[in-house]
Amino acid sequence: MGKRPAFDEIMGLSGEAPPRPALAAIGRWLDATPTDELRRRQAAAEATFRQLGITFAVYGDAAARERIIPFDIVPRVFLHDEWTRLSEGLVQRVEAINAFLDDIYGERRILKDGVLPPDLIFGNPQFRPEIAGMRPPHGIWAHICGIDLVRTGPDEFFVLEDNARTPSGVSYMIENREAMVRLCPELFRQYRVAPVDSYPDRLLETMKSVAPPGRAGQPTCVVLTPGHYNSAYYEHSFLADSMGIELVEAADLVVDDDIVWMRTIAGLVRVDVIYRRIDDDFLDPLIFRPDSMLGVPGLIAAYAAGNVAIINAPGNGIADDKAIYSYMPEIVRFYSGGEAKLPNVETWRCREPQALRYVLDHLNELVVKLVDGSGGYGMLVGPTASRDEIETFRAALIAEPHRYIAQPTLALSTVPTLADSGLSPRHVDFRPFVLTGAKGVQVVPGGLTRVALKEGSLVVNSSQGGGTKDSFVLLPDAGGMQSQTLDGMTQRQGDGA
């Protein structure tokens, strides 16, 4: 973390009372609510999550195959002006991601102009040459993006990574809010918080808007899941149920004459839009992995014929790649004509000899990541790593430098969190969700805050022991913006939100 103290988002730069002026009510709430009462409410929320089956799987952990993600009762809060600035940067970035994907699978202007080295694309396993020349309905590739952000100061936000394949976590965003409204209604009397329970409606609207031409009237939309053994199966079923559409597996779909059909007890029903929660490799055994039992044979042919929209579009994994991430400032500039409103974290590409030398000389200070890694796996946090771990990573870097990037160890912001010893600062990151449809781009007013529950830890991933918090986005003070009941069941949002 270096010598710089972490910025606490409630208490400010000092990390001590009094809290930031705009969040004084949060400080009073924390002072007035006994720790035992906070624990009781937190336990009640987690008990509800267990009853609902809100769990995730830890692959390879036979002793704890299904578990809930720990929930923390103290919310994270974004002021209205902070959220406005973040939203502008998120829209700009997602528009650039869509333009980039459309370009590299089409004209490839960014390569012809020398902005990116061609081998970074063509040598990348996430680039899918099988779909080059195809174009999704309405030219939209990344319909749902989760852009991971970190904060280091009052006005210092950085993009940590882009998730444009199948970003997860939105069910936790919604369920965390339900728990907070039910268990801490006094906070919603103190603050006017933008509701998040409209997300399924927004998602369904996005899906319908990108239906193939001629099918826009009443398109049939489905969620395609690999099945109940998947770590995010609860989210798949939650979203399908919330949108009122079918949750299907590969066996429920069949392709005939380049049209996708769903098997039902009443016969075959044509499918127009598929929200897939299956990676490209397993999507269509005729095009990608022939041994896949999770995909639908002929799906890509139907997609190429323009008869079905796939959300997110095949081939999006290249935008998730951390080596591509390192070029995002140039990508944003190329497609938008302006500088990125949300900067990247400084990044060294280990594929470049000079950068590799620097990283090898400073391994004990840096965070090193696999370019295609996720979930906190395949990562070295230098300041907390053992000597053996550092030397193991050194050997891996020397052997395959192109597989890694490195970043400085940032002083991530903290939020008060209920620890064993009472309230204590813990580091957080943030995943807002951005939807892109035929009618434009919208940022959901909230997101998934992940918290590192271990003292001093910077690793927030649930698979590595992290937890989640509710994320409040405060509405401006003008009247008529929001009405919300306090039982967690109903929220309404006016035009101003």
Side-chain angles (χ1 to χ4, degrees):
M1 290 180 54
K3 296 181 180 179
R4 178 181 173 179
F7 168 71
D8 191 275
E9 298 190 14
I10 304 295
M11 298 302 178
L13 286 170
S14 68
E16 300 175 357
R20 299 168 67 197
L23 302 180
I26 291 280
R28 291 192 296 269
W29 175 71
L30 292 175
D31 289 339
T33 309
T35 300
D36 287 347
E37 175 61 14
L38 292 175
R39 291 195 196 283
R40 185 195 69 78
R41 297 184 191 186
Q42 186 163 298
E46 293 187 341
T48 299
F49 293 163
R50 287 190 183 93
Q51 291 168 1
L52 291 173
I54 307 174
T55 61
F56 74 101
V58 181
Y59 296 125
D61 185 354
R65 189 169 300 165
E66 294 284 339
R67 62 175 68 161
I68 66 165
I69 298 180
F71 169 72
D72 186 74
I73 198 71
V74 184
R76 189 218 202 125
V77 183
F78 292 96
L79 305 182
H80 178 70
D81 60 340
E82 293 172 345
W83 187 254
T84 298
R85 293 195 301 272
L86 280 179
S87 295
E88 291 173 353
L90 290 167
V91 169
Q92 180 199 48
R93 193 171 184 101
V94 169
E95 287 179 341
I97 287 172
N98 268 297
F100 166 69
L101 290 165
D102 199 48
D103 188 22
I104 62 167
Y105 287 111
E107 297 180 10
R108 298 173 181 162
R109 293 183 295 112
I110 198 167
L111 301 183
K112 295 172 183 175
D113 287 7
V115 177
L116 296 184
D119 69 292
L120 192 66
I121 302 296
F122 301 130
N124 194 308
Q126 294 301 326
F127 176 74
R128 302 294 183 179
E130 300 93 338
I131 64 165
M134 299 181 192
R135 199 162 187 264
H138 305 278
I140 300 169
W141 295 76
H143 310 82
I144 308 165
C145 287
I147 308 297
D148 288 353
L149 303 173
V150 294
R151 187 176 191 175
T152 59
D155 298 306
E156 297 173 353
F157 292 90
F158 297 89
V159 176
L160 190 62
E161 62 182 57
D162 303 293
N163 296 283
R165 274 181 286 187
T166 54
S168 62
V170 73
S171 60
Y172 286 94
M173 173 187 75
I174 296 172
E175 296 290 3
N176 286 353
R177 176 61 53 81
E178 292 283 342
M180 288 297 292
V181 172
R182 178 169 53 88
L183 295 167
C184 303
E186 65 273 24
L187 286 177
F188 296 87
R189 289 191 285 266
Q190 293 285 345
Y191 290 106
R192 301 177 62 252
V193 182
V196 296
D197 68 345
S198 63
Y199 178 84
D201 293 336
R202 293 172 185 241
L203 176 57
L204 183 58
E205 178 187 354
T206 298
M207 292 177 68
K208 289 181 176 179
S209 77
V210 297
R215 301 292 299 174
Q218 288 295 325
T220 299
C221 305
V222 300
V223 177
L224 176 61
T225 177
H228 66 277
Y229 291 111
N230 184 266
S231 63
Y233 180 75
Y234 170 79
E235 180 160 295
H236 307 167
S237 59
F238 171 87
L239 287 173
D241 183 61
S242 299
M243 290 187 286
I245 64 177
E246 295 295 330
L247 178 69
V248 299
E249 298 183 26
D252 300 315
L253 301 179
V254 61
V255 178
D256 182 46
D257 197 22
D258 291 344
I259 295 175
V260 182
W261 301 89
M262 173 173 56
R263 295 184 173 97
T264 75
I265 58 174
L268 295 179
V269 174
R270 181 168 175 172
V271 174
D272 305 299
V273 185
I274 299 174
Y275 176 18
R276 53 82 174 244
R277 295 299 294 258
I278 296 175
D279 286 343
D280 285 352
D281 275 344
F282 303 97
L283 199 54
D284 183 343
L286 301 182
I287 300 297
F288 302 119
R289 285 186 54 160
D291 61 341
S292 171
M293 302 296 290
L294 305 176
V296 181
L299 178 59
I300 297 302
Y303 171 73
N307 292 329
V308 69
I310 300 176
I311 296 178
N312 282 328
N316 274 21
I318 190 74
D320 271 19
D321 186 86
K322 293 178 179 63
I324 296 295
Y325 157 90
S326 70
Y327 282 97
M328 277 304 297
E330 291 88 344
I331 290 171
V332 170
R333 189 181 306 119
F334 184 80
Y335 294 109
S336 75
E339 296 302 313
K341 296 177 182 180
L342 283 175
N344 274 17
V345 177
E346 183 181 9
T347 302
W348 289 272
R349 295 183 281 262
C350 296
R351 68 199 301 273
E352 299 172 359
Q354 185 175 351
L356 176 62
R357 285 193 296 271
Y358 178 86
V359 172
L360 291 173
D361 289 342
H362 297 84
L363 275 178
N364 63 326
E365 304 169 14
L366 302 174
V367 176
V368 185
K369 304 176 183 178
L370 283 165
V371 296
D372 57 351
S374 63
Y377 296 104
M379 182 170 74
L380 175 78
V381 181
T384 61
S386 68
R387 180 174 298 180
D388 286 346
E389 289 170 333
I390 288 175
E391 292 310 311
T392 298
F393 252 81
R394 185 186 305 279
L397 277 166
I398 293 171
E400 297 182 297
H402 63 282
R403 297 190 63 205
Y404 296 91
I405 56 100
Q407 296 171 330
T409 309
L410 299 177
L412 302 188
S413 63
T414 61
V415 175
T417 300
L418 194 57
D420 291 341
S421 58
L423 289 172
S424 183
R426 293 291 187 268
H427 295 291
V428 293
D429 78 353
F430 183 56
R431 177 176 293 175
F433 296 94
V434 186
L435 298 175
T436 303
K439 298 178 182 179
V441 184
Q442 55 181 321
V443 182
V444 181
L448 180 67
T449 287
R450 301 184 297 181
V451 54
L453 297 177
K454 298 177 183 176
E455 184 175 5
S457 174
L458 298 173
V459 182
V460 301
N461 305 81
S462 57
S463 55
Q464 307 296 312
T468 67
K469 290 175 172 285
D470 192 10
S471 308
F472 287 12
V473 173
L474 301 188
L475 292 167
D477 293 333
M481 301 290 291
Q482 176 197 23
S483 170
Q484 172 174 299
T485 67
L486 296 180
D487 62 3
M489 298 302 294
T490 305
Q491 294 174 316
R492 298 187 300 277
Q493 184 171 317
D495 293 340

